Amino acid sequence: EYLLKQWLLTQRTEPYLRTMFDEAMLGMARSMVARSTPSELVYIADYVSEGKLVHKMDHLACFAGGMLAVGAQHGGEFDREYMTLAERIGETCYEFYRRTTSGLSPEFMSFVGGSDPKVPRNAAYNIGRPEAVETFFIMWYYTRDPKWREMGWEVFSSFERHARTPSGWAALKDVNNPAKLDDKMESFVLAETMKYLFLLFDSSYPIPLDKYVFNTEA
């Protein structure tokens, strides 16, 4: 992500940064990307060593869909492959939400033996992470496919339904038992999660992505 953003911030004048980004993405695609059974959800597993993966995907990794989409806008050799993978990752991250009782994602999902995702007991909490809606916004921006707004609206509605309090969105202790709230709200909920949801539905598109780069952690 930093390689791509630095390349863009230098007005694409440092080609070695783009080369390193492409090499990293190809390495990820070859060594870390897998499909679940039977739903064929594309996910990014944890790399342990050559040929050995831990079949889980953190919500944190959902940013990769947006990163790949941004990286596919400059006439590069792998633009089509990047956009295809970005779409599949975005769809998988939506499933992180859709497959829980609350409609909110856990911290990570387990793909045991490459099977479809399940919520692990030690990752059942939700603290309002932004990475999925970041990808939804970027995919909407570049494709105008309404499904990304539909996904984002479902996520927003679930936060409003289960996390809303008089002073913000609380964290959930268990996404499959949404009555259990944790009395805290991370700073990134405002700085990133709500920002990307706002941009996803803002019809004026106030921040053109061909002119601005969102710094990581917003």
Side-chain angles (χ1 to χ4, degrees):
E1 180 184 18
Y2 300 126
L3 294 169
L4 176 64
K5 289 183 175 180
Q6 189 61 35
W7 179 66
L8 294 171
L9 288 169
T10 60
Q11 303 298 311
R12 294 180 273 170
T13 59
E14 299 289 349
Y16 79 93
L17 293 167
R18 179 69 205 214
T19 299
M20 292 172 69
F21 171 76
D22 288 331
E23 289 174 351
M25 295 304 98
L26 293 173
M28 178 186 74
R30 283 194 301 263
S31 301
M32 300 171 65
V33 172
R35 292 175 186 266
S36 73
T37 302
S39 298
E40 295 194 341
L41 298 176
V42 172
Y43 62 97
I44 302 172
D46 286 357
Y47 182 88
V48 178
S49 60
E50 186 64 36
K52 185 176 181 181
L53 299 174
V54 175
H55 287 273
K56 61 182 277 286
M57 180 176 170
D58 287 47
H59 189 285
L60 287 163
C62 288
F63 85 95
M67 172 187 65
L68 286 161
V70 172
Q73 305 306 314
H74 308 97
E77 180 181 356
F78 307 107
D79 285 1
R80 182 177 298 177
E81 289 84 356
Y82 286 171
M83 283 303 288
T84 298
L85 183 54
E87 180 174 22
R88 297 302 302 274
I89 289 171
E91 291 169 347
T92 295
C93 291
Y94 165 67
E95 291 295 322
F96 281 23
Y97 290 80
R98 192 185 71 81
R99 291 173 182 248
T100 70
T101 302
S102 64
L104 294 173
S105 171
E107 183 71 0
F108 63 84
M109 283 283 201
S110 290
F111 294 80
V112 179
S115 62
D116 281 347
K118 301 261 189 321
V119 179
R121 185 169 297 178
N122 65 337
Y125 58 93
N126 176 286
I127 54 174
R129 290 203 182 275
E131 294 80 14
V133 293
E134 176 184 4
T135 284
F136 297 168
F137 160 64
I138 293 172
M139 291 300 293
W140 159 254
Y141 183 91
Y142 288 127
T143 70
R144 295 297 194 265
D145 187 332
K147 74 179 182 181
W148 301 110
R149 278 185 161 176
E150 291 164 6
M151 292 177 188
W153 183 253
E154 288 184 30
V155 170
F156 173 76
S157 298
S158 294
F159 275 119
E160 285 286 277
R161 186 178 304 114
H162 296 296
R164 182 173 179 170
T165 72
S167 54
W169 285 350
L172 269 68
K173 294 182 178 181
D174 185 345
V175 293
N176 284 324
N177 185 0
K180 296 181 179 180
L181 295 181
D182 197 359
D183 186 20
K184 67 178 183 179
M185 185 177 79
E186 303 287 346
S187 61
F188 54 70
V189 172
L190 292 173
E192 297 182 83
T193 308
M194 290 186 180
K195 177 190 73 178
Y196 286 120
L197 283 166
F198 176 85
L199 291 171
L200 177 61
F201 296 105
D202 188 344
S203 59
S204 65
Y205 311 114
I207 304 179
L209 297 186
D210 60 339
K211 294 182 179 180
Y212 296 97
V213 175
F214 284 113
N215 58 304
T216 300
E217 301 304 331

